[in-house]
């Protein structure tokens, strides 16, 4: 059972404790980085990097997620905040809502899963909920499809509490040493009757139940909120009082780790995003070196509209509407942009050099390689 008290908070990764633990396995556990936005009314990863609002079979719910400045102290400056804005009028048996983060498999090898030396771990975090009572934690191993569910109890509404969840070693299932999903971890906010009632405290084969019996329903009232910060994972068995201190990273280090999964390239007006030249009169090829090597070949995310972008060349400019990636790195960190007549380019001069630039306040370009 999770233990709730007050104290510090932390994050884990390499299996060492104390000041020499190394890089935390939980990325952005203090919610400091929010490349996309600080507030959104959508589900998915829309505010704090690596943190996802996951809806399952919901049909009425409207929500706000935000990078909030509501914090428990102890050095934290931000939290992830969920807020119900339109209730789910009836919680159907198969409906669920959760805050989720996914951990890359090759960052979890210190857990030694699938061997006799597998390590027990402790997940620790600060939570503030509008509801007292039972809340659930759900962890799933992507390799081997096993699950772990545990409950924790919020004793006082709208009050920060530190929670420690003890997770037993898993000697049966290997976490592959690759760039796929190792775990996903969910903080359950609501769960219907066909997905609650899980067996608690042990690893078990794939089941439909993701939440404990009597899981609270934070979708039932527009006054309900849930805040989360200080998420850490430590090798070893701890209480909320004995967990090592949260390993705060510099903003630059945290941003770099987040950029492995998502990078904002350009946003707003007059932002350059690549150099290149006209391969042919209506075909421009450009390049950009990414600041961080991404987890896998990234996908382009952008806003497309008339004349949102331009190529500046030879004292003039050629406006266009959208663009594509002609090549992207599986390793390394350079991408190649392509823009031609299909993207709105009119005729220019072969071999002219130039650079890409945004032309509208709503222009937006990003690269994603999320798990």
């Amino acid at each position: 059972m999770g233990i709730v008290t007050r104290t510090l908070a932390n994050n884990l990764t390499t299996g060492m404790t104390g000041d020499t633990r190394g890089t935390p396995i939980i990325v952005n556990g203090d919610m400091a980085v929010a490349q996309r936005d600080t507030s959104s009314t959508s589900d998915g990863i829309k505010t704090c990097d690596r943190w996802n609002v996951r809806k399952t079979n919901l049909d009425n719910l409207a929500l706000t997620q935000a990078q909030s400045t509501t914090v428990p102290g102890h050095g934290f400056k931000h939290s992830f905040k969920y807020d119900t804005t339109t209730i789910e009028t009836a919680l159907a048996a198969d409906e669920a809502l959760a805050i989720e983060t996914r951990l890359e498999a090759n960052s979890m090898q210190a857990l030694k899963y699938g061997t006799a030396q597998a390590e027990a771990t402790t997940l620790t975090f600060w939570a503030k909920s509008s509801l007292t009572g039972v809340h659930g934690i759900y962890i799933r191993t992507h390799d081997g499809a096993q699950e772990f569910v545990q409950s924790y109890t919020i004793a006082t509404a709208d009050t920060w509490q530190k929670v420690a969840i003890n997770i037993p070693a898993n000697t049966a299932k290997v976490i592959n040493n690759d760039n796929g999903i190792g775990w996903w971890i969910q903080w359950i906010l609501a769960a219907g009757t066909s997905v609650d009632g899980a067996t608690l405290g042990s690893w078990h084969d794939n089941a439909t139940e993701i939440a404990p019996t009597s899981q609270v329903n934070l979708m039932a009232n527009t006054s309900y909120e849930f805040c989360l910060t200080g998420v850490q994972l430590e090798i070893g068995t701890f209480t909320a009082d004995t967990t090592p201190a949260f390993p705060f990273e510099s903003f630059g280090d945290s941003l770099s780790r987040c950029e492995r999964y998502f990078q904002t390239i350009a946003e707003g007006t007059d932002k350059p995003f690549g150099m290149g030249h006209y391969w042919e009169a209506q075909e421009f090829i450009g390049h950009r070196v990414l600041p961080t090597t991404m987890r896998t070949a990234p996908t382009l995310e952008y806003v497309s509209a008339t004349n949102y972008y331009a190529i500046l060349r030879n004292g003039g400019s050629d406006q266009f509407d959208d663009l594509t990636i002609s090549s992207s790195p599986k390793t390394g960190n350079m991408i190649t942009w392509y823009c031609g007549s299909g993207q709105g380019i009119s005729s220019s001069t072969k071999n002219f050099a130039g650079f890409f630039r945004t032309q509208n306040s709503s222009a937006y370009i990003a690269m994603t390689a999320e798990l």
Side-chain angles (χ1 to χ4, degrees):
M1 180 93 176
I3 299 173
V4 179
T5 58
R6 302 176 335 183
T7 294
L8 312 166
N10 172 15
N11 233 359
L12 133 94
T13 168
T14 61
M16 302 171 69
T17 57
D19 293 338
T20 58
R21 292 199 301 282
T23 305
I25 196 172
I26 303 288
V27 179
N28 201 29
D30 61 352
M31 315 300 173
V33 179
Q35 293 185 77
R36 295 166 175 87
D37 208 343
T38 57
S39 182
S40 174
T41 56
S42 298
D43 56 333
I45 306 176
K46 300 297 183 182
T47 56
C48 297
D49 281 54
R50 311 296 304 123
W51 294 92
N52 171 41
V53 174
R54 181 166 179 169
K55 299 193 302 186
T56 304
N57 300 321
L58 301 179
D59 45 19
N60 306 120
L61 179 73
L63 61 92
T64 298
Q65 59 167 293
Q67 183 195 48
S68 173
T69 55
T70 299
V71 292
H74 304 287
F76 296 104
K77 304 301 181 184
H78 296 98
S79 65
F80 183 96
K81 181 180 179 181
Y82 163 85
D83 179 27
T84 296
T85 56
T86 299
I87 67 170
E88 187 72 10
T89 53
L91 181 60
D94 63 347
E95 292 181 338
L97 177 70
I99 298 170
E100 178 186 81
T101 191
R102 297 186 178 191
L103 310 184
E104 191 171 341
N106 56 25
S107 71
M108 304 187 71
Q109 297 308 300
L111 276 62
K112 308 182 191 76
Y113 271 31
T115 75
Q117 295 79 42
E119 302 275 7
T121 54
T122 302
L123 177 71
T124 311
F125 54 91
W126 286 93
K128 184 166 80 76
S129 176
S130 296
L131 294 176
T132 60
V134 174
H135 294 60
I137 292 291
Y138 169 78
I139 301 174
R140 178 182 170 87
T141 63
H142 182 75
D143 304 313
Q146 282 204 324
E147 298 171 338
F148 171 86
V149 181
Q150 187 55 283
S151 66
Y152 64 98
T153 300
I154 295 293
T156 306
D158 301 317
T159 302
W160 284 102
Q161 295 180 236
K162 192 180 180 185
V163 180
I165 303 293
N166 298 135
I167 305 164
N170 190 328
T171 59
K173 300 294 182 180
V174 172
I175 298 175
N176 294 339
N177 188 21
D178 59 25
N179 66 349
I181 300 171
W183 282 4
W184 58 76
I185 309 173
Q186 294 181 0
W187 285 254
I188 307 300
L189 304 182
T193 55
S194 68
V195 292
D196 72 357
T199 299
L200 302 182
S202 61
W203 288 102
H204 52 271
D205 288 338
N206 190 25
T208 58
E209 296 84 10
I210 65 168
T213 302
S214 303
Q215 163 72 44
V216 300
N217 179 7
L218 283 152
M219 302 188 296
N221 193 297
T222 56
S223 67
Y224 290 168
E225 299 175 347
F226 185 89
C227 293
L228 178 70
T229 195
V231 183
Q232 68 190 88
L233 184 66
E234 294 289 343
I235 288 177
T237 300
F238 302 96
T239 68
D241 286 323
T242 62
T243 302
F246 188 89
F248 287 102
E249 298 180 277
S250 72
F251 181 83
D253 287 346
S254 186
L255 175 62
S256 180
R257 297 184 68 210
C258 291
E259 286 177 336
R260 178 167 172 79
Y261 306 95
F262 180 86
Q263 296 183 24
T264 300
I265 302 299
E267 184 173 11
T269 305
D270 297 333
K271 301 297 192 297
F273 59 93
M275 303 288 293
H277 71 285
Y278 277 95
W279 176 256
E280 296 291 348
Q282 289 181 288
E283 295 181 84
F284 190 86
I285 303 294
H287 306 280
R288 182 184 181 93
V289 177
L290 301 177
T292 303
T293 299
M294 301 192 78
R295 180 186 66 86
T296 189
T299 300
L300 177 65
E301 290 186 2
Y302 68 100
V303 175
S304 175
T306 302
N307 296 335
Y308 265 33
Y309 310 98
I311 296 166
L312 274 64
R313 48 83 190 142
N314 193 39
S317 66
D318 300 315
Q319 295 181 328
F320 63 97
D321 307 335
D322 55 25
L323 70 162
T324 60
I325 301 176
S326 63
S327 65
S328 59
K330 294 185 184 301
T331 59
N333 60 347
M334 178 178 284
I335 58 172
T336 301
W337 310 105
Y338 171 81
C339 187
S341 58
Q343 286 75 40
I345 284 286
S346 59
S347 182
S348 189
T349 302
K350 182 178 179 178
N351 294 328
F352 271 179
F355 67 90
F356 289 114
R357 190 179 73 177
T358 59
Q359 292 279 98
N360 189 286
S361 60
S362 297
Y364 174 79
I365 302 171
M367 307 297 293
T368 183
E370 295 285 358
L371 286 161

